[in-house]
Amino acid sequence: MTATARLKIWRGRDADAGGFETYEVPFEPGQSVLDGLRWIRAHRDPTLAVRFSCINANACKECMVEIDGATHYACTERLEPREMTVEPLSNKALLRDLVTEIAPPGERFRG
Amino acid sequence: MIEPMHVETDVLVIGAGGAGMYAAIEAARAGRTVLLADRSLIGRGGATVMAQMTVAVALGEETPDHWTHHLHDTITAGRGLCEESLARLLCEEGPDCIRQMDAWGVGWARRDGHIAQAMAPGHDRPRCAYVDFLNTGPAVSKTLRTVVNKTAGIRKAGDLVIIDLVRVDGEVAGATALHLSSGNAVTIAAKATIVATGGLTRLYRRNSASANMGGDGYALALRAGAPLIDMEFVQFFPIGHLAPRLIGMDPIMWDPFRYKLGGRLLNGLGQEFTSRYGSDEDGAYVLTRDLATYAIIKEVEAGRGSPHGGAYLSFEHCPEGALREAFGPVIDRLAANHIDLTKMPVEVAPIAHYHMGGIAVDARMETGIPGLLAAGEAVGGANGANRLSGNAVTEALVFGRRAGRSAAERATRIDAQPFRQQAARSAIELATAGRDAERTELPNSAEMILSLQDTMADDVGAFRTGPKLERAIARLDNLARDLGERPFGDRAPFDMPRIDWLDLRNMVLVARTVARAALRRTESRGAHQREDFPGMLPQWRVNQVVRWRDGALDISAVPPAADMSANLAAAQ
């Protein structure tokens, strides 16, 4: 049997009305947590909201989330063959699922 | 329907990478109001921030140099297809922009009191400035972000996905966007609009740029009536990292190692092989990108590839001290990925890296459609059929500056905003419409993107044949059918299926221009290699121009012009 990672991911649009969903993700050594999140979008649920630009280089700084309660970049944190809990940043306004309002106030669109 | 939010600006800049930020700075310095929009964060997406390598510019700091030598090398690399007025602009104004960046504190690496310039393949002398260690792009981005923040008149707006340009009476009058964090439509009235969205590397499975480089600017310009040129020329970077899995670093990271230390490129049997393909490296790094890509792919095809289907790159002959001196903390980041260069080679393989083609502009960065300009990698023609190492950041800065100036001039010249809400209606609909009720089951939008990337990598990659290209075109037609006319998704913040749908709408269109232009070009030149048509043919010394006419792609061929404005005038 191939190894899997279990990603327990917080889903929702409202911080008070969301919940966790768990996904089994095929595990290959060396993968990042972001690899796992991208796999879920392409193979299980494309509505999972997660933001990133650079995928791998740790240049865009967009994929910051809480993994097992600590703040990490999803692109540099390794996926592990166990259950890992992924949540949006608790100190930023929630937009949806794992996406929070991370832009500095002066860089947000205002109509 | 909820009414869209509406904003007005003199100059709209789409894309906040190197070209977009420089354009915004220049337009604002000319006294115009600027809206600097990006689909993600300001100054963090795009390609510039990812550039770990070098910036080619005839500063003459390392050895005597002149921009005409740089131009000669650029045109030689371009295999007869460079738009000379653009190539000249890049080379002639490069030094000024690089010194401006120096004054802004970018921190070019220095040696013996002067800016250090490294030798790179295709250049006749050391010409490439850089920021240590592997920090050229991040330093350029950070410097421009700082200047943007200090420049009055620039409003920044992240999380704005531009859906379409707004065309009024034959002019571009702004754009319609989806605001990701609210899920609302936004209309932007602008006297001048600069497309600075970078290239199309996201169309390929393995690529070195960020996920927002899906060719959207090309699609925006094409649908607004502007011609694209040279779309068949996609540059593959030969030694993109392949294995072991490496996180936290960009896959093009090995190039600076080769500049500084050489390194040996070996096949799966541990043999040097580039000499089989007409070029002997002899320990130095002199092989241009198209030749190196060819050599690696041919070795893999011959069954002599590395385990993951590439080549080995070895620095095992370099003493640890030399590695440490050249790359400092990068050695520790590699160690964290279980890579010890003194004991093991890594595996590398070609990876989509840059697009030579793009929006046709004149030397003022104007497209021929009044009110629409382009800058940076989004511009086609400066690099012809193959780009030299180091020219990408230079063109981002030079073309960005020039576009900012030209846009400011136009915005000063015209009084009223030509924008009309009516002209934005169909794009507003795409931002806010509910899903098609008649489709009971929608395909997975993220999977469709992977499918498009597979098609392009397998059949429109570095080596092409007629049958493969035809198969790709058929697959793209299927994807277009699956996509349909109405967006997926609900109407909410970060509506991922809708974002994917809007991206795919652009990606499929742009992928078709690449595949169609590649199918027509029955020769091999620079980055476009046809296995069924090897060799360069004099009758193909032409630029292919793609236009959108009556809902279909129209491709024609024109001889390379010394000045694009003649072609643009003819296109009207």
Side-chain angles (χ1 to χ4, degrees), chain B residues 146-204:
Chain B
T146 304
V147 178
V148 162
N149 289 337
K150 286 195 295 203
T151 304
I154 303 176
R155 289 165 76 188
K156 289 156 283 182
D159 290 339
L160 273 187
V161 171
I162 305 295
I163 295 171
D164 266 316
L165 302 173
V166 174
R167 207 178 139 132
V168 176
D169 298 334
E171 302 190 353
V172 166
T176 307
L178 171 64
H179 182 226
L180 297 182
S181 26
S182 66
N184 290 325
V186 173
T187 51
I188 304 156
K191 294 174 181 172
T193 299
I194 300 170
V195 173
T197 49
L200 52 57
T201 40
R202 191 192 180 195
L203 300 185
Y204 290 86

Side-chain angles (χ1 to χ4, degrees), chain A residues 13 30 35 41-42 46-51 53-54 56-57 60 62 75-76 78 95-96 99 107-110, chain B residues 40 42 44 50 155 158-159 186 210-212 245-249 337 444 447 450 490 492-494 496 500:
Chain A
R13 295 184 208 171
D35 291 338
R41 286 204 66 238
T47 69
L48 172 64
V50 52
R51 62 180 302 159
S53 289
C54 75
N56 198 57
C60 73
E62 286 185 48
C75 75
T76 54
R78 301 273 184 186
L95 294 175
R96 185 175 189 160
V99 179
E107 298 182 6
R108 297 175 196 167
F109 173 78
R110 283 193 187 78
Chain B
S40 58
I42 301 298
R44 296 201 181 267
M50 311 282 285
R155 289 165 76 188
D159 290 339
V186 173
S210 61
N212 46 25
R245 183 75 170 89
L246 178 63
I247 60 175
M249 300 184 78
N337 280 283
N444 179 323
E447 190 179 20
L450 294 183
D490 46 25
F494 272 85
M496 301 294 278
D500 289 340

Side-chain angles (χ1 to χ4, degrees), chain B residues 380-392:
Chain B
N383 297 287
N386 185 44
R387 176 177 64 83
L388 272 187
S389 305
N391 272 1

Side-chain angles (χ1 to χ4, degrees), chain B residues 448 471-483 512:
Chain B
M448 285 177 75
R471 182 169 67 179
I473 290 166
R475 286 180 174 169
L476 293 169
D477 289 345
N478 287 338
L479 276 172
R481 253 195 308 280
D482 290 348
L483 204 56
R512 282 170 153 165

Side-chain angles (χ1 to χ4, degrees), chain B residues 361-490:
Chain B
V361 296
D362 60 22
R364 291 174 48 82
M365 301 296 125
E366 292 180 332
T367 61
I369 307 290
L372 180 61
L373 302 90
E377 188 179 345
V379 166
N383 297 287
N386 185 44
R387 176 177 64 83
L388 272 187
S389 305
N391 272 1
V393 172
T394 313
E395 81 175 350
L397 303 175
V398 171
F399 292 178
R401 184 171 76 163
R402 178 58 67 100
R405 281 182 192 166
S406 299
E409 284 169 24
R410 174 177 159 85
T412 306
R413 203 164 57 234
I414 62 174
D415 294 329
Q417 291 281 2
F419 181 87
R420 282 205 298 271
Q421 188 84 11
Q422 180 66 28
R425 178 149 296 184
S426 65
I428 295 168
E429 182 73 15
L430 292 180
T432 55
R435 56 175 282 185
D436 188 344
E438 292 184 6
R439 296 182 75 178
T440 48
E441 200 162 329
L442 294 173
N444 179 323
S445 55
E447 190 179 20
M448 285 177 75
I449 289 175
L450 294 183
S451 169
L452 182 143
Q453 291 172 323
D454 285 343
T455 293
M456 293 300 284
D458 294 340
D459 291 341
V460 198
F463 292 92
R464 301 160 175 180
T465 65
K468 281 186 174 182
L469 291 166
E470 281 165 4
R471 182 169 67 179
I473 290 166
R475 286 180 174 169
L476 293 169
D477 289 345
N478 287 338
L479 276 172
R481 253 195 308 280
D482 290 348
L483 204 56
E485 300 294 322
R486 285 176 70 106
F488 304 164
D490 46 25

